[in-house]
Amino acid sequence: MDRETLEVDVLIVGGGPAGMSAALRLAQLQKAQGGEPLAIAVLEKAREAGAHMLSGAMLDPSALRELIPDFKEKGAPVASEVHHEHVYFLTKNSKVPFPITPPPLQNHGNYVISLNRFVKWMSGLVEAEGIDLFAGFPASEVLYDGDRVVGVRTRDQGIDKHGAKKSTFEAGVEIRAKVTILCDGVRGNLTKAVVRRLALDEGRQPQLYAIGLKELWEVPKDRIKAGTVVHTLGYPLKREEFGGGFLYAMPDGVVSVGFVTGLDYRDPMFDPHLTFQHFKQHPAIAAILQGGQMVRYGAKALPEGGWHTIPRVYADGLLIAGDAGGFVNSMRLKGIHLAMRTGMLAAETAYEAIRARDTSAARLWKYEERIDASEVRRELYPVRNVHQSFGYGLVPGLMYSGLSLVTGGWWLKDPMPAHAGFDRMAEIAEYYGEHKLDVDAPVRPVKVDRQLTFDKLTNVHHSGTRHTEDQPSHLIVYDTNICSTRCRVEYGNPCTRFCPANVYEMVDAGDGTKRLQINASNCVHCKTCDIMDPYQVIDWVPPEGGGGPQYDGM
Amino acid sequence: MILVIAEQREGKLNRASWEAMAAAQQAGGPVKVALLGSGDEPLAAELAAAEAAEVIVVDAAALGEYTADGQVAALAILIEQEQPGHVFFAHTYQTRDFAPVLATRLGRSLITDVTAIRQESGAMVFVRPVFQGKLNADVTAEGPAPHLVTIQIGAYRGDAAVRGASPAAIRKVEIAVDAAAVRQKPEAPFKEAKQAVDLSQAERIVAIGRGIKGQEHLKLAEDLAKAMGAEIAASRPICDSGWLPMDRQIGSSGQTVAPKLYVALGISGAIQHLVGMKGSKTIVAINKDPEAPIFEIADFGIAGDLFEVVPAMIAELNK
C-alpha cells in the first residue's frame, strides 16, 4: 500500500504533560541557539489536546516553574493552591486522623489542577511556537530500520468492523524522524511493543500499576474550602490491598473525588468500581458529597513500580518519557512534574544529538545520565521499594515507608522482590475455598441510588466517551475460548470487574454457557485490561482517531 | 420579528419545521416563515396554515437540490432584506451542515440545540444542554441582530404551533443565486439512507431491550407494534446481538427520537438509552424490575412480565 510519508527531526508521540513539555523545551532551545530550525511534530490520539488526560490532580510546580517561569502571567489554570490537608485512616464507619501529615503527603505549595485543562493550556503554547500538533491521530506501530527506531505509523482510518475499507478510508501516514520521543502514557501501546522488541526491560523489575477512578462533583459552595486536600487509607480496602482515596476541593464547590487501587490485588472478585462506591458511602466522604451532583467520571491506570521498574529509556533513534517510562512517585502520589521533567530532559538530549548529527543509542544514553543527575533520581531512588513493600500488606508497607524516610529506602534485599500484578491474583478456589461462589454476582454488592452511587454504565456516560461504532474492536482478545472455559472457573472472568467502563460482559451464549462480549465503544482508555488480565491475552490498541473519552475539568 | 426557516426535501416538509415554528410563536413577536427550493407551492400553502405574518417563498433553480453553498447564499440575501431580530431553524442534519457557515458569513451569533426560551428584561434567554444533557446552560446572544438559533428536535411540539384563522399571505421573492458559486455537487442520497428508517419521524415507537430475552420473542414486540401502528426500535444490546439492524437503535450511539408514544419493553433505562428518548411525549414502560431507572421517567409503568402484559395489550388493541 502506498502511504504518505512525513519527515521530521523530532517526533513526539503523545500530547500529555511529557510530550508538551518536550515540544516546548525544543522550541526554547531552538530560540536560544538558533541555526537551521528543527521540524517537530506531536501526535495525539484524542480529538483535541487534553481530552484523554486524567489525574487527581495534584501538581508539584517545580518542573513547570523551570519550563515556563511566567506560568501565572501566561494564564496557567492552576487556581487552587493547597491550604488544608488531612490524612485519615478509615474504618467502616469512622476516621482516624494521622497525628501528623506524613512528609511525602505534604502538599503546601502544590496546586490542585484539572490535568486536561492544564494540558490544553500547554497545547496552546506549543502551537504558538509553530509546532505541528496532530490531534486525533493515534500511532499504531513503531517503524524500524533494523533495531533503530525511525518513526511511527498512524492508524488507518475508516475500516469497518469486519476489517473492510469504508468510503471514508484513509491510509495511515508514516512519520519518520531522527529522534522519536515516546510519551504514550501508562502502558503505552508503542512503548509496550518497543520495550518487548528491544528487550529494554532486561534486568528490571516488572512494572506495578494501579487504577484510579475519579468523579468530578459540584457540591454546595460553602461545603468545603477550595484548596482542601484529603487522602485516606484503609476502608474499603482489605489490609492486603494497596491503595487509598482522595478528595480535592477546587473553587466554586467543584470537588474531585477518587479512589486508587494497586493492580496487584489477590482477590479475583475484587472490583475497583464497587470499591469506589463503598468509599463514597463512607460517612466522612458522603457528608461532603451529599446533595451535590456528579458531573464527570473517568478512570486511568498509573505506573507505581518506581525506580527499579523503569526500563532502559533510550535506544537508537528513541527516547521514552513520562508515564510511558514509569516516572511516577508512588509515595507522593505524583507524576505530572516528573513527566514534564523527563520530557524536558528528553528534548535537551534529542536537540543536542541532532545538532551533533548522531542519534544513536550511544549518544542518546546522555538522557539517562541527565535523569540520574536530576531531581528525578533524587526523588525516585529513595522510594524505590515503596509499592513493593505493600505487597507484604498494609502494616508492613506503612512501616517500611516510614522507615525509608530515614534510611533513604535501604532494605536487606534491594530491589525488594516483586511480581507482576496479574501474577498475584489468586484463583477463586484458592482464595474462597471450594465452596460454590456465584462469579456473576458481586461479593460486596452496593446499592446503586444514582445520587451518591452509580453503576458503571451511568458513569461511562459521564466520561463523554465516544467511538465510531463501525470499526474493529480496539481491544483484542487473542483467545476468547479461555474466557468461557478456563477463566470462568479459575478467576471468574475478572475483566468484568476490573474494567471500570463495562467493556467486558459475559452474556448468555444461548446454549447454557456464557460468551465474552466486548463493548469496545465504552472504553475510557485506562489500560487496566491490558495490564491485569491473568492470562495476558488482551491487547489494547488505539481505536480510530478521536475515539475515547472527552474529559473536561478532570 | 422572528424569521423561521422551514426545511423541505423532495417536496416534503420536515416535521421539525413545525417545531421551530412553535418555538418562534411561543418566544413572542411577529413570525415570518421562509421556504427555500423550487416548485414548492403546495408546501407554501401547507405552511400558510400557521399563525404567521407571511410565508416567503424563495423559488430558484439553484435551490432545487440542497447544497450548503446555495442555502447560505440565498439566506444571506434574504436575511439582509428582511432584517429579522432572530432567525430560527430546526436543529436538523441539514441545518447543522450550513448554519455555522451562514453565521460566519453574516458575522452573527449562532446558538444551537436550544430546548427552551424565556424573556428576561427585554432579551431572549436561550436554554441549551451542556455536558451531554446533564446540565442546562442559559445563553444570551451578543453582537448585533439577527441572532441565529437552532431548536432541538423534540423540544417543542409541532402540533402546538398555532394555526391562523385564515391562511397567511404567501409572497414570492426573487433571489438570484449564482449557480457557479455553488461548489458542492450533490450525488444521489446514500442507498443506506434510503433503506434506513428515520425513527425521528415516527409518531409511535415500540422499543425492546434485554428483557425480551431471545430473538424468537421479537415477534411479540412486532405484533404489538403492528397493532399500534408503531415503528419497532431497540436498545443497544439488541442491535449488538444483531437481532435488529443498527438503524433501529435508540440512544447516545443510535438515534434520538421524540414520538408521541414510546413503549419500552424490557428496557432497564441505562442513561445512554434515556438520552435518546426522554423527549417522548408519553412513555410507557414494562419491566420486571420495579427498581429499573426507566420507571423514573415513565408516565405509565407496569412492573410485570412483558410476556404476560404484551399479549394482553395486543388482544385489547385488536378488539
Side-chain angles (χ1 to χ4, degrees), chain A residues 8-22:
Chain A
V8 296
D9 292 298
V10 185
L11 171 62
I12 297 164
V13 185
M20 295 295 182
S21 300

Side-chain angles (χ1 to χ4, degrees), chain A residues 218 293-296 447 450 457-458 460-462 464 466 469 505 507 517 519 521, chain B residues 131-132 134-135 190 210 236 240-241 246 252-253 270-272 275 291-293 296:
Chain A
E218 288 178 353
Q293 203 180 24
M294 184 266 292
V295 291
R296 286 270 139 179
K447 171 107 177 98
R450 291 188 289 281
L457 267 184
T458 303
V460 170
H461 178 74
H462 289 88
R466 269 184 179 275
E469 295 286 333
E505 266 186 290
V507 297
Q517 173 170 305
N519 306 313
S521 53
Chain B
F131 286 114
Q132 294 189 318
K134 183 78 187 172
L135 297 176
F190 279 117
R210 262 189 183 151
R236 177 166 191 141
D240 270 354
S241 311
M246 289 292 285
S252 55
S253 48
I271 191 162
Q272 286 83 349
V275 296
E291 306 253 320
E296 285 173 21

